[in-house]
Amino acid sequence: MHFDGLPKNAVIREVCPRDGFQGICDFIPTEKKVEFIGQMLSTGIKEMEITSFVSPKAIPQLSDAAQVLPAVKKEHPDVEFTALVPNVRGAENALAAGADVVNVVFSVSESHNIANIRRTVEQSLSGMDDIIALVRGKAKICVSMATSFMCPFEGRIDPRRVAELIGKVRAKGVDCITLAETIGTCTPKDFTETLQIVKPALQGIPTYLHIHNTYGFADMNVKCALDEGFNRFDSAVGGLGGCPFAPGAAGNAATEDLVYLMQSMGVDTGLDPLKVVTVARALKAYGLRTMGSLCASSFGKPKPEMPVQNQ
């Protein structure tokens, strides 16, 4: 393993308030969400996917999106806030609440796209045109491509298909793209191969990698991505999250783990891993199921005193 030639800096887009909270059954009160988000932002995070403007029936946990985003943005005007939307109505609500970035999602996998949003891939691509037309000039437009590496129904996704769809998305004039390892089972070898094949199609556009950690490959895949020159990542404090429409998918890459990993390799994120792990432990103390390695360890805790032996 080598550490030469890595990017000097990396961007962390915190997704815990959206991806981490969305699958939690017990409703987190709005004021508590705002408090947790404030704690996350106190670590130095400058980009955050804060919520999703979807039907409350689909994701009850995020039914307070129109209250959370304005409340947080008022206190943190220097942070870029992303909101995920499924349709034009969601985009209208996101813009009204003050979203800086509107994120539209579809799946590369035909099976997963139908299971997730009841549309074919081509229907999703054509359907996002109205959203893009509405948002253009009012906020940035990001498109997230779920199951860009693996699918719970189809297995390994052909990287050439991913590259083809990147071209179709870029032709729409979007501002950034996210490639998602949605189910967290892609091996570092396959992950690297996909990145190498799709990289030419991504030249010149900011690209985020959204990595889950079901098989424990998240940190290794982040290292592989850095080796290939990618330096924008989604992660969630405490490793919370997991796609509710991807059977078996576990949590996200944990923000505190990624920050510590990158710091150890000389890649600057602008974040302090101790501050991040402190927030993760606050989430755990509240009763949320955190999965980050640092959170579960003694990292940052006082070292136990050595027992004094009698002479």
Side-chain angles (χ1 to χ4, degrees), residues 12 14 213 216-220 222-223 226 233-240 251-265 267 269 271-278 280-281 290-299:
I12 301 291
E14 178 58 50
N213 197 35
F217 294 144
D219 286 355
M220 295 174 67
V222 166
K223 172 59 167 62
L226 290 168
F233 300 92
D234 285 352
S235 62
V237 171
L240 267 67
N252 286 280
T255 302
E256 61 273 17
D257 293 354
L258 292 199
V259 172
Y260 185 73
L261 172 69
M262 292 186 197
Q263 184 182 76
S264 73
M265 297 187 295
V267 180
T269 63
L271 306 179
D272 182 340
L274 182 56
K275 290 182 179 180
V276 182
V277 82
T278 300
R281 287 173 179 152
T290 57
M291 290 178 275
S293 297
L294 286 191
C295 182
S297 74
S298 61
F299 178 78

Side-chain angles (χ1 to χ4, degrees), residues 86-213:
N87 49 38
V88 169
R89 183 177 180 182
E92 290 172 341
N93 292 336
L95 291 173
D100 301 298
V101 183
V102 171
N103 189 14
V104 186
V105 180
F106 78 97
S107 297
V108 175
S109 157
E110 200 75 53
S111 301
H112 189 264
N113 205 61
I114 291 171
N116 193 357
I117 54 179
R118 299 184 181 88
R119 289 184 175 186
T120 66
V121 171
E122 287 303 320
Q123 286 172 334
S124 287
L125 288 172
S126 61
M128 69 176 65
D129 290 341
D130 290 339
I131 299 174
I132 292 172
L134 171 70
V135 173
R136 196 181 306 281
K138 303 180 182 74
K140 292 181 182 178
I141 305 161
C142 186
V143 173
S144 289
M145 298 172 55
T147 61
S148 287
F149 300 85
M150 298 288 292
C151 170
F153 312 115
E154 299 179 15
R156 175 87 188 279
I157 298 297
D158 187 342
R160 294 169 296 181
R161 174 61 171 162
V162 182
E164 175 191 358
L165 290 174
I166 288 170
K168 292 185 176 183
V169 169
R170 292 196 67 174
K172 297 178 182 294
V174 302
D175 297 294
C176 62
I177 288 175
T178 301
L179 301 183
E181 209 289 79
T182 307
I183 61 173
T185 63
C186 191
T187 66
K189 177 179 179 295
D190 289 345
F191 190 82
T192 299
E193 181 183 80
T194 293
L195 292 182
Q196 289 174 341
I197 291 173
V198 305
K199 189 158 55 170
L202 292 165
Q203 292 299 318
I205 187 167
T207 302
Y208 295 79
L209 297 175
H210 183 106
I211 303 171
H212 284 211
N213 197 35

Side-chain angles (χ1 to χ4, degrees), residues 41 44-48 72-81 100:
L41 294 173
I45 289 166
K46 294 301 181 185
E47 296 188 23
M48 173 179 281
V72 175
K73 186 171 182 178
K74 180 180 178 181
E75 299 298 323
H76 301 275
D78 57 331
V79 176
E80 183 175 83
F81 291 107
D100 301 298

Side-chain angles (χ1 to χ4, degrees), residues 25-82:
C25 295
D26 294 334
F27 186 76
I28 303 171
T30 301
E31 60 273 15
K32 195 65 182 178
K33 283 196 188 85
V34 172
E35 178 186 337
F36 280 144
I37 292 169
Q39 291 175 8
M40 294 174 198
L41 294 173
S42 72
T43 66
I45 289 166
K46 294 301 181 185
E47 296 188 23
M48 173 179 281
E49 187 173 69
I50 189 168
T51 191
S52 179
F53 286 84
V54 297
S55 166
K57 293 181 180 179
I59 305 181
Q61 185 63 250
L62 302 183
S63 60
D64 55 0
Q67 290 76 49
V68 170
L69 175 51
V72 175
K73 186 171 182 178
K74 180 180 178 181
E75 299 298 323
H76 301 275
D78 57 331
V79 176
E80 183 175 83
F81 291 107
T82 298

